[in-house]
Amino acid sequence: MHLIVAGTVNELCRGRPGAPKISALPDGWLLAGPSGASRVVHTIEELWAGVITCFTDTSLLEGLLKKQEAYAADPENAGLPARTARTGSSLTALAGSTTARRPRCHTPGIPPTREDSPH
């Protein structure tokens, strides 16, 4: 099961800037982000939440959502791969709808620019 889910998520993220690499573990998945940081997750929801945080650009989330929906609808991906993609698309859609309301991030130790400032 873990290997199928890891393969599905990696396929859906392939070619996207900032995409993490997912590896199957006996009791979950190892999510390795583009910066080299990694963490272990134990549910498909935690896995997708970690993947989504790697994509900070709304257009990347929109592209991921389209790919997830198409993948889930393809009869060749029936079963666990389709369920994995559907779970991802639900979380990606939710993340995309809240992205515009998220505060801009800035590098710790460097004051935000006027554009980042709430005032």
Side-chain angles (χ1 to χ4, degrees):
M1 173 187 125
H2 292 107
L3 192 57
I4 293 170
V5 170
T8 300
V9 175
N10 283 327
E11 174 65 26
L12 289 167
C13 293
R14 182 170 289 126
R16 302 203 178 296
K21 174 70 175 140
I22 311 303
S23 301
L25 301 173
D27 62 344
W29 299 272
L30 178 67
L31 188 146
S35 67
S38 61
R39 66 179 169 155
V40 174
V41 295
H42 300 283
T43 68
I44 294 174
E45 290 83 2
E46 289 175 328
L47 178 59
W48 276 118
V51 166
I52 290 165
T53 62
C54 292
F55 300 119
T56 56
D57 186 294
T58 305
S59 66
L60 291 173
L61 286 176
E62 290 168 357
L64 178 62
L65 179 59
K66 288 177 185 176
K67 192 165 184 180
Q68 290 165 327
E69 291 171 341
Y71 189 94
D74 186 337
E76 290 189 22
N77 301 321
L80 183 57
R83 288 194 310 274
T84 300
R86 276 194 297 276
T87 299
S89 67
S90 295
L91 294 171
T92 302
L94 181 61
S97 69
T98 61
T99 299
R101 294 190 303 259
R102 289 184 193 161
R104 291 183 143 194
C105 296
H106 65 275
T107 305
I110 299 174
T113 64
R114 174 167 255 207
E115 181 178 296
D116 294 330
S117 179
H119 301 286

